[in-house]
Amino acid sequence: MSDLPPLRESLEAHGLLAKKSFGQHFLLDLNITRKIVRLAGPFEGRAVIEVGPGPGGLTRAIVESDAGPVVLVEKDPRFLPLLNELDTGDGRLRIIEADALKVVEADLVAGPAHVVSNLPYNVGTPLLIKWLTGPWIPHAMTLMFQKEVAERIVAAPGDDAYGRLAVIAQAVAEARIVMHLPAAAFTPPPKVASAVVHLVPHADRPDREMLKRLETVTAAAFGQRRKMLRSSLKQLGGGALCEAAGIDPDARAETIDIAGFLQLAAACGS
């Protein structure tokens, strides 16, 4: 990697600019990308998937690390020639031109894998939900989001940011913010600050059927978050559902912890 030109030079040489329609904001400071990779690791030879690598600032740091196979999923074909320049010829790097929302991760890697990405802003949350609730379970995820989204992922009951995303994320994984970045760290600078969230799936995570019920319950509960659960969950059983789950029907969604929502989801399926 040390023989490569600086990222800004590479971008200029290829005439590349970020596309607003793809939610692209490039992270070009290799000191920052190396820190993110350190926070994500150690990888100990496991595969790493990176979504939306763009010019490859984070990719350079991943390739320098103890990662095994490195799979890049990039939707924007303009970056493929630049990313190909990062191939050291050792067979570790694989570049896939695809929409990450449609990719089947199990077809990309064998065995446990990390996901490490500066996610495009416009698809960050759908991608996280896909990895949290889909059939493919990552070893760990280290993902950059807008600060507001990151705070929603790690929020606790009673927090203003507490909602569906927090419940689903924390039902499946341990989630914590490990790094904050100002807008000025990116090219072009976004209008908001960003944060990196590290998620490690629980060993006893809910099965897919339970997760579907959890999504249904949280959609109803937080869809009318100011109402009491007996009202917001009326279509799912209302007060009777709450009582079956051992939850106060007069409580509001924002006060119910993860265990409480899992109890509601279990009762919803019984």
Side-chain angles (χ1 to χ4, degrees):
M1 294 297 108
S2 60
D3 296 333
L4 293 169
L7 277 166
R8 288 185 188 277
E9 290 184 16
S10 295
L11 281 169
E12 289 172 5
H14 288 268
L16 293 171
L17 297 172
K19 276 191 175 181
K20 284 187 179 180
S21 61
F22 284 1
Q24 293 172 337
H25 298 278
F26 304 144
L27 194 53
L28 305 182
D29 187 332
L30 292 181
N31 291 318
I32 294 176
T33 61
R34 286 170 178 146
K35 182 176 181 181
I36 292 169
V37 169
R38 287 196 298 272
L39 290 167
F43 302 125
E44 299 174 332
R46 288 183 289 268
V48 174
I49 295 175
E50 182 188 359
V51 167
L58 191 55
T59 312
R60 292 189 184 199
I62 295 170
V63 171
E64 289 175 349
S65 75
D66 62 339
V70 178
V71 182
L72 311 180
V73 181
E74 178 56 66
K75 183 178 180 179
D76 191 340
R78 299 178 304 152
F79 291 106
L80 301 184
L82 200 156
L83 293 171
N84 277 311
E85 294 176 5
L86 304 183
D87 192 344
T88 60
D90 62 2
R92 289 170 67 211
L93 192 66
R94 183 180 173 200
I95 303 168
I96 308 294
E97 181 186 353
D99 181 342
L101 285 168
K102 299 176 181 177
V103 160
V104 178
E105 288 81 5
D107 293 342
L108 303 182
V109 292
H114 294 250
V115 181
V116 183
S117 294
N118 168 22
L119 292 175
Y121 280 176
N122 57 353
V123 292
T125 301
L127 281 170
L128 176 61
I129 293 296
K130 176 190 178 188
W131 294 324
L132 288 171
T133 64
W136 182 76
I137 302 173
H139 182 81
M141 296 174 278
T142 309
L143 308 170
M144 190 180 304
F145 299 92
Q146 297 176 54
K147 181 183 176 184
E148 178 186 336
V149 176
E151 290 173 344
R152 286 169 51 210
I153 294 167
V154 304
D159 292 348
D160 289 343
Y162 186 67
R164 288 191 74 205
L165 191 57
V167 174
I168 293 169
Q170 295 172 46
V172 174
E174 177 190 348
R176 58 192 176 95
I177 292 176
V178 294
M179 187 178 183
H180 288 89
L181 287 97
F186 298 86
T187 302
K191 295 179 180 179
V192 295
S194 298
V196 177
V197 182
H198 185 65
L199 302 104
V200 179
H202 298 310
D204 57 346
R205 52 174 275 158
D207 61 31
R208 292 191 69 197
E209 184 56 40
M210 174 67 91
L211 288 173
K212 287 179 183 177
R213 293 199 295 268
L214 185 63
E215 289 186 270
T216 299
V217 167
T218 53
F222 287 104
Q224 303 178 75
R225 63 185 298 146
R226 299 304 175 194
K227 290 188 175 182
M228 292 183 287
L229 291 174
R230 66 167 69 251
S231 297
S232 61
L233 299 179
K234 188 174 181 180
Q235 297 300 316
L236 301 175
L241 173 66
C242 293
E243 289 168 9
I247 301 296
D248 181 1
D250 294 334
R252 290 177 172 80
E254 62 212 37
T255 67
I256 306 300
D257 62 13
I258 310 301
F261 273 110
L262 287 171
Q263 289 164 220
L264 285 165
C268 191
S270 61

